[in-house]
């Protein structure tokens, strides 16, 4: 490194720090556990809310989460019931998104998308995080953010109108 130009050393340090942060995040997730909440998980049936379904089979499932620091593997306990979707309690405990992209990474993509051309936004996210997002996935994420944005501001309009009705 002592013979490299400073800009190359700087870029290498940035990459190494991203990796250190990725390893810290991975370690944090591992310390939180696999989501083992006991022998059985009871869940409400999605078709009939009056029926409770017992998920008593266990398996370990792997999942990858793409974050600001790169991809982080997550090993999680799955609770299964015949004919039902698996339940992964650690997903809720950690507040994991349905997508394989962290909420923070999705937010970064949304911010980059409003700052210029879409392809440049994807490139900015890649340069900052090292995570490649496909154009189709990036479009879906930005569309979902736009839907949430409108709902957020609609809720704020209602709150402001309610506050005016309530008076001082």
């Amino acid at each position: 490194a002592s013979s490299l130009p400073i800009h190359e050393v700087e870029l290498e340090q940035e990459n190494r720090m991203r990796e250190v942060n990725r390893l810290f995040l991975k370690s944090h997730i591992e310390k939180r556990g696999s989501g083992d909440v006991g022998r059985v998980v009871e869940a409400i049936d999605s078709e009939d809310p009056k029926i409770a379904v017992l998920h008593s089979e266990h398996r370990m499932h792997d999942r990858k989460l793409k974050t600001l620091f790169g991809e982080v593997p997550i090993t999680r306990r799955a609770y299964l019931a015949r004919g039902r979707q698996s339940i992964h309690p650690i997903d809720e405990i950690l507040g994991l998104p349905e997508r394989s992209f962290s909420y923070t990474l999705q937010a970064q993509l949304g911010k980059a998308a409003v700052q210029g051309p879409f392809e440049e936004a994807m490139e900015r996210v890649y340069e900052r995080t090292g995570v490649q997002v496909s154009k189709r996935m990036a479009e879906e994420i930005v569309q979902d953010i736009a839907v949430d944005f409108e709902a957020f501001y609609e809720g704020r309009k209602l709150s402001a109108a309610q506050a005016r009705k309530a008076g001082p």
Side-chain angles (χ1 to χ4, degrees), residues 98-113:
E98 288 185 33
R99 290 192 175 95
S100 63
F101 298 93
S102 72
Y103 289 124
T104 308
L105 185 62
Q106 291 181 53
Q108 290 293 319
L109 181 61
K111 288 177 184 176

mmCIF file of all heavy atoms in Angstrom, residues 98-113:
data_model
loop_
_atom_site.group_PDB
_atom_site.id
_atom_site.type_symbol
_atom_site.label_atom_id
_atom_site.label_comp_id
_atom_site.label_asym_id
_atom_site.label_seq_id
_atom_site.Cartn_x
_atom_site.Cartn_y
_atom_site.Cartn_z
ATOM 1 N N GLU A 98 -39.766 -8.329 3.600
ATOM 2 C CA GLU A 98 -40.079 -9.500 2.784
ATOM 3 C C GLU A 98 -39.036 -9.694 1.693
ATOM 4 O O GLU A 98 -38.653 -10.801 1.386
ATOM 5 C CB GLU A 98 -41.470 -9.365 2.162
ATOM 6 C CG GLU A 98 -42.590 -9.533 3.162
ATOM 7 C CD GLU A 98 -43.957 -9.523 2.500
ATOM 8 O OE1 GLU A 98 -44.081 -9.993 1.352
ATOM 9 O OE2 GLU A 98 -44.895 -9.032 3.144
ATOM 10 N N ARG A 99 -38.597 -8.602 1.110
ATOM 11 C CA ARG A 99 -37.564 -8.665 0.076
ATOM 12 C C ARG A 99 -36.217 -9.003 0.691
ATOM 13 O O ARG A 99 -36.022 -8.873 1.887
ATOM 14 C CB ARG A 99 -37.437 -7.328 -0.637
ATOM 15 C CG ARG A 99 -38.590 -6.982 -1.503
ATOM 16 C CD ARG A 99 -38.219 -5.783 -2.388
ATOM 17 N NE ARG A 99 -39.274 -5.514 -3.308
ATOM 18 C CZ ARG A 99 -40.227 -4.621 -3.095
ATOM 19 N NH1 ARG A 99 -40.233 -3.900 -2.001
ATOM 20 N NH2 ARG A 99 -41.178 -4.437 -3.987
ATOM 21 N N SER A 100 -35.276 -9.350 -0.159
ATOM 22 C CA SER A 100 -33.925 -9.670 0.315
ATOM 23 C C SER A 100 -33.079 -8.422 0.510
ATOM 24 O O SER A 100 -31.907 -8.515 0.830
ATOM 25 C CB SER A 100 -33.242 -10.627 -0.663
ATOM 26 O OG SER A 100 -33.087 -10.013 -1.923
ATOM 27 N N PHE A 101 -33.668 -7.247 0.360
ATOM 28 C CA PHE A 101 -32.951 -5.973 0.528
ATOM 29 C C PHE A 101 -33.396 -5.326 1.830
ATOM 30 O O PHE A 101 -34.596 -5.192 2.082
ATOM 31 C CB PHE A 101 -33.241 -5.030 -0.649
ATOM 32 C CG PHE A 101 -32.783 -5.587 -1.963
ATOM 33 C CD1 PHE A 101 -33.645 -6.318 -2.767
ATOM 34 C CD2 PHE A 101 -31.480 -5.403 -2.396
ATOM 35 C CE1 PHE A 101 -33.228 -6.847 -3.974
ATOM 36 C CE2 PHE A 101 -31.039 -5.923 -3.599
ATOM 37 C CZ PHE A 101 -31.911 -6.650 -4.390
ATOM 38 N N SER A 102 -32.433 -4.906 2.656
ATOM 39 C CA SER A 102 -32.776 -4.273 3.930
ATOM 40 C C SER A 102 -33.590 -3.004 3.669
ATOM 41 O O SER A 102 -33.508 -2.404 2.600
ATOM 42 C CB SER A 102 -31.513 -3.932 4.721
ATOM 43 O OG SER A 102 -30.833 -2.831 4.127
ATOM 44 N N TYR A 103 -34.364 -2.607 4.668
ATOM 45 C CA TYR A 103 -35.138 -1.378 4.531
ATOM 46 C C TYR A 103 -34.222 -0.178 4.298
ATOM 47 O O TYR A 103 -34.561 0.726 3.538
ATOM 48 C CB TYR A 103 -35.998 -1.137 5.780
ATOM 49 C CG TYR A 103 -37.157 -2.086 5.910
ATOM 50 C CD1 TYR A 103 -37.328 -2.854 7.055
ATOM 51 C CD2 TYR A 103 -38.099 -2.214 4.889
ATOM 52 C CE1 TYR A 103 -38.400 -3.726 7.185
ATOM 53 C CE2 TYR A 103 -39.168 -3.083 5.007
ATOM 54 C CZ TYR A 103 -39.319 -3.840 6.158
ATOM 55 O OH TYR A 103 -40.375 -4.697 6.274
ATOM 56 N N THR A 104 -33.064 -0.180 4.939
ATOM 57 C CA THR A 104 -32.129 0.931 4.773
ATOM 58 C C THR A 104 -31.610 0.995 3.345
ATOM 59 O O THR A 104 -31.529 2.080 2.756
ATOM 60 C CB THR A 104 -30.958 0.790 5.765
ATOM 61 O OG1 THR A 104 -31.494 0.612 7.072
ATOM 62 C CG2 THR A 104 -30.067 2.020 5.747
ATOM 63 N N LEU A 105 -31.292 -0.158 2.781
ATOM 64 C CA LEU A 105 -30.830 -0.190 1.391
ATOM 65 C C LEU A 105 -31.949 0.243 0.445
ATOM 66 O O LEU A 105 -31.715 0.994 -0.505
ATOM 67 C CB LEU A 105 -30.328 -1.585 1.031
ATOM 68 C CG LEU A 105 -29.704 -1.744 -0.343
ATOM 69 C CD1 LEU A 105 -28.457 -0.867 -0.488
ATOM 70 C CD2 LEU A 105 -29.327 -3.196 -0.591
ATOM 71 N N GLN A 106 -33.170 -0.187 0.711
ATOM 72 C CA GLN A 106 -34.306 0.230 -0.107
ATOM 73 C C GLN A 106 -34.496 1.742 -0.033
ATOM 74 O O GLN A 106 -34.765 2.395 -1.042
ATOM 75 C CB GLN A 106 -35.587 -0.486 0.334
ATOM 76 C CG GLN A 106 -35.588 -1.983 0.032
ATOM 77 C CD GLN A 106 -36.877 -2.651 0.450
ATOM 78 O OE1 GLN A 106 -37.969 -2.222 0.070
ATOM 79 N NE2 GLN A 106 -36.769 -3.712 1.228
ATOM 80 N N ALA A 107 -34.340 2.304 1.150
ATOM 81 C CA ALA A 107 -34.483 3.759 1.314
ATOM 82 C C ALA A 107 -33.391 4.496 0.533
ATOM 83 O O ALA A 107 -33.662 5.515 -0.100
ATOM 84 C CB ALA A 107 -34.423 4.134 2.792
ATOM 85 N N GLN A 108 -32.174 3.978 0.573
ATOM 86 C CA GLN A 108 -31.079 4.591 -0.177
ATOM 87 C C GLN A 108 -31.375 4.582 -1.672
ATOM 88 O O GLN A 108 -31.132 5.559 -2.371
ATOM 89 C CB GLN A 108 -29.758 3.852 0.088
ATOM 90 C CG GLN A 108 -29.223 4.046 1.472
ATOM 91 C CD GLN A 108 -28.781 5.473 1.731
ATOM 92 O OE1 GLN A 108 -28.179 6.100 0.872
ATOM 93 N NE2 GLN A 108 -29.083 5.974 2.909
ATOM 94 N N LEU A 109 -31.930 3.484 -2.152
ATOM 95 C CA LEU A 109 -32.301 3.387 -3.567
ATOM 96 C C LEU A 109 -33.389 4.400 -3.900
ATOM 97 O O LEU A 109 -33.329 5.083 -4.926
ATOM 98 C CB LEU A 109 -32.754 1.975 -3.906
ATOM 99 C CG LEU A 109 -33.147 1.730 -5.354
ATOM 100 C CD1 LEU A 109 -31.968 1.982 -6.304
ATOM 101 C CD2 LEU A 109 -33.653 0.314 -5.529
ATOM 102 N N GLY A 110 -34.371 4.535 -3.025
ATOM 103 C CA GLY A 110 -35.443 5.508 -3.245
ATOM 104 C C GLY A 110 -34.918 6.929 -3.291
ATOM 105 O O GLY A 110 -35.301 7.713 -4.169
ATOM 106 N N LYS A 111 -34.024 7.279 -2.390
ATOM 107 C CA LYS A 111 -33.432 8.623 -2.384
ATOM 108 C C LYS A 111 -32.626 8.866 -3.657
ATOM 109 O O LYS A 111 -32.706 9.938 -4.257
ATOM 110 C CB LYS A 111 -32.528 8.803 -1.165
ATOM 111 C CG LYS A 111 -33.276 8.931 0.126
ATOM 112 C CD LYS A 111 -32.302 9.032 1.297
ATOM 113 C CE LYS A 111 -33.040 9.053 2.605
ATOM 114 N NZ LYS A 111 -32.122 9.053 3.749
ATOM 115 N N ALA A 112 -31.850 7.867 -4.056
ATOM 116 C CA ALA A 112 -31.030 8.015 -5.267
ATOM 117 C C ALA A 112 -31.917 8.147 -6.503
ATOM 118 O O ALA A 112 -31.587 8.890 -7.433
ATOM 119 C CB ALA A 112 -30.078 6.829 -5.414
ATOM 120 N N ALA A 113 -33.063 7.460 -6.518
ATOM 121 C CA ALA A 113 -33.945 7.470 -7.687
ATOM 122 C C ALA A 113 -34.565 8.842 -7.930
ATOM 123 O O ALA A 113 -34.839 9.203 -9.077
ATOM 124 C CB ALA A 113 -35.037 6.418 -7.540
#
